[in-house]
Amino acid sequence: MNASYGANDMSSASGDAKARQLAKMKRLAAALLVAVTALFVVARLQQGAGIWAWVAAFAEAAMIGALADWFAVVALFRHPLGLPIPHTAIIPANKERLADNLAAFVRDKFLATDTLVHKLRAFGPAERLGGWLGQRDNTEIVAGKLAGVLAGWLDFIDDERVRSLLAARIGERLRAIDVSEVAGHILDTLTVDARHQELLDAALKRLARWLDDPEVQLAFAAMIIEIAGKEYPKTLKTVGLVTNTDEFSRRIAAGIVRGINGWLHDIGDDPQHPRRQAFDETVAEFIARMKNDADFKARVNAAKLDVLTHPVLARYLDSLWDELKAWLRKDLHEPDSRLRQRISAATSAFANALVENPALRDSVDGHLESAVVALADDLRNALSRHIASTIRSWKDEDLVRELELSVGRDLQFIRLNGTIVGGGIGLLLHALTLFASTPW
């Protein structure tokens, strides 16, 4: 509000100064007209003899020039003496045509796409942006502004009405998503060109390396004994292995690990291994069910709805959002805000990349040029329409006042020059008359 008031105050002061200057020039031009008129009267009273004939010629022509130029200047803005003389009050009478022509001039001469692209290339926005952001003070300014925007968005989203609306819209979109079909299409994409086999290879190799670890072998064997002891105690007691579990672990670990590792290596080394084919078939069948099996899709989507409507999930998300929001608010209002520091560091890193990486600068400039080319026509047409409609909406007296304040002072010089030049022409004509009437 203070900034707006200051701007309006400065604009008003500027307008008052222009009005005073215009009034001063009008008084000067009028005073000169009165002076040459008085001089003409005095010269005529002297019967135009001798030097007074020259004065009369000068004053008469100066007076005519002053009046003619006064008429021309006034006719631009209004009817001279209030008389509806044709082709006067030119600007108010042609306001709509003036608006259209000015809008077209700005559009075609200043906002042409080629002109904008040329100016953009000459400006080098990426290089200038990198240099500007590279200055520490500017980086801090950007970080502060972005942090302020983020804080404002937190306040906006925290409004109960906005929060309820967002929750309702997000819930509607999530409930409308066919999770089963979407997942099927995603898995389809992931399995193109047997990319899932690469994941299988990586998993098999990691599992094989894990089973090669002696500690893992012992732990794995101990787990088997523990499970077998609980599930089949009589069988183990019958074969006499319950009291000798360490030996049993050592004996079976080697066999189990060798068998499993051999099996894993066989699958990993043989692209045509039956287990691989079975894996492909299982994945393909699962994807087909996700996409086409109505019952399966219904179960998946029912599970989704159960999760989305469960009150525990809603409470969890609310508490999570409240904690995140509280942390963000607290951090953003601290002098040494970590988030602001991160934004500042990211901005500085981006600036350094722009300065040091010509390819990145070219990419940024290229994208900006593409954006200008894509948006220029719409923007320039919208701006020209705005200019034309704004001028049309002005009252005639407001338009005249603004233009007269802007250029009226300079137009008064036309009246001054017309007076002086007219007087000079009067002297020249008087001289030519004497020269022509002199007998030789």
Side-chain angles (χ1 to χ4, degrees):
M1 180 179 293
N2 291 338
S4 175
Y5 176 80
N8 292 335
D9 190 50
M10 290 176 63
S11 176
S12 176
S14 175
D16 292 342
K18 289 180 179 179
R20 287 193 298 271
Q21 292 174 355
L22 175 60
K24 180 180 178 181
M25 290 302 300
K26 283 184 175 181
R27 287 194 298 269
L28 180 59
L32 188 58
L33 173 60
V34 171
V36 296
T37 301
L39 188 61
F40 173 73
V41 172
V42 171
R44 283 298 187 184
L45 291 176
Q46 298 298 324
Q47 301 299 321
I51 190 65
W52 288 107
W54 291 87
V55 173
F58 171 83
E60 182 179 12
M63 183 174 58
I64 294 171
L67 289 171
D69 286 337
W70 166 82
F71 182 90
V73 170
V74 172
L76 285 173
F77 303 107
R78 56 185 64 85
H79 297 297
L81 302 177
L83 301 175
I85 302 172
H87 303 295
T88 58
I90 294 173
I91 290 175
N94 295 274
K95 183 175 67 174
E96 293 193 0
R97 185 158 56 91
L98 175 65
D100 292 336
N101 290 340
L102 179 60
F105 178 76
V106 172
R107 181 194 64 202
D108 297 335
K109 300 302 181 183
F110 291 92
L111 301 177
T113 302
D114 293 342
T115 301
L116 293 176
V117 171
H118 176 74
K119 292 294 184 182
L120 186 67
R121 288 175 181 170
F123 183 73
E127 184 175 1
R128 288 177 180 268
L129 179 62
W132 188 82
L133 289 177
Q135 300 178 27
R136 181 66 180 175
D137 291 345
N138 295 334
T139 303
E140 293 298 330
I141 290 173
V142 171
K145 295 297 183 183
L146 291 177
V149 170
L150 181 57
W153 270 103
L154 284 176
D155 292 336
F156 172 74
I157 295 175
D158 198 35
D159 186 287
E160 185 61 32
R161 294 162 297 181
V162 176
R163 190 169 175 176
S164 299
L165 179 64
L166 288 175
R169 292 293 178 267
I170 293 173
E172 289 175 4
R173 296 302 297 271
L174 290 176
R175 285 190 290 273
I177 295 174
D178 189 336
V179 175
S180 180
E181 187 167 353
V182 170
H185 286 297
I186 292 174
L187 291 175
D188 243 347
T189 303
L190 294 176
T191 56
V192 171
D193 297 329
R195 280 180 287 198
H196 61 297
Q197 290 289 350
E198 297 177 5
L199 294 176
L200 179 62
D201 285 338
L204 291 173
K205 290 177 181 178
R206 183 173 291 275
L207 183 59
R209 286 197 302 271
W210 180 67
L211 288 176
D212 283 338
D213 188 336
E215 293 184 3
V216 173
Q217 294 175 9
L218 290 175
F220 190 56
M223 181 181 65
I224 293 175
I225 289 299
E226 182 180 356
I227 294 173
K230 291 179 179 179
E231 298 293 332
Y232 309 104
K234 293 181 180 180
T235 303
L236 293 180
K237 191 172 182 180
T238 300
V239 298
L241 291 174
V242 174
T243 59
N244 196 16
T245 57
D246 290 341
E247 179 62 26
F248 177 78
S249 298
R250 284 193 296 273
R251 282 190 289 118
I252 69 169
I256 290 175
V257 170
R258 281 196 302 270
I260 293 177
N261 269 349
W263 184 63
L264 293 177
H265 285 297
D266 286 344
I267 297 174
D269 295 339
D270 183 6
Q272 304 300 322
H273 194 280
R275 291 298 92 200
R276 282 185 179 275
Q277 297 177 3
F279 178 64
D280 278 342
E281 292 172 0
T282 301
V283 171
E285 180 182 356
F286 181 71
I287 292 174
R289 290 187 66 192
M290 294 280 283
K291 294 167 62 176
N292 304 315
D293 190 325
D295 292 337
F296 187 77
K297 291 171 68 174
R299 290 198 300 271
V300 171
N301 286 312
K304 175 199 70 176
L305 291 176
D306 287 341
V307 171
L308 291 177
T309 56
H310 201 287
V312 173
L313 176 64
R315 289 196 299 270
Y316 172 75
L317 292 178
D318 283 343
S319 64
L320 187 65
W321 167 245
D322 289 338
E323 291 177 8
L324 176 61
K325 182 179 59 182
W327 178 85
L328 287 172
R329 272 212 181 92
K330 181 175 181 296
D331 181 76
L332 289 172
H333 288 89
E334 290 180 353
D336 56 343
S337 167
R338 285 179 290 176
L339 186 59
R340 190 180 291 114
Q341 292 174 4
R342 291 293 181 89
I343 296 174
S344 179
T347 304
S348 180
F350 179 65
N352 292 334
L354 283 176
V355 171
E356 298 172 1
N357 192 331
L360 179 60
R361 292 199 302 272
D362 292 342
S363 176
V364 171
D365 289 341
H367 283 88
L368 287 175
E369 287 184 20
S370 298
V372 168
V373 171
L375 300 174
D377 285 343
D378 291 336
L379 291 177
R380 63 201 284 263
N381 289 331
L383 183 59
S384 67
R385 288 194 298 269
H386 172 68
I387 292 173
S389 63
T390 300
I391 294 176
R392 285 198 190 97
S393 68
W394 288 344
K395 295 180 179 178
D396 290 350
E397 55 269 25
D398 293 337
L399 176 62
V400 167
R401 183 180 63 253
E402 291 298 327
L403 289 178
E404 194 169 16
L405 285 177
S406 297
V407 299
R409 179 176 179 273
D410 294 323
L411 291 177
Q412 299 309 309
F413 280 104
I414 295 178
R415 295 176 59 188
L416 295 175
N417 293 335
T419 304
I420 303 302
V421 172
I425 294 174
L427 290 174
L428 178 61
L429 291 175
H430 184 68
L432 291 174
T433 300
L434 292 179
F435 178 78
S437 60
T438 300
W440 295 95

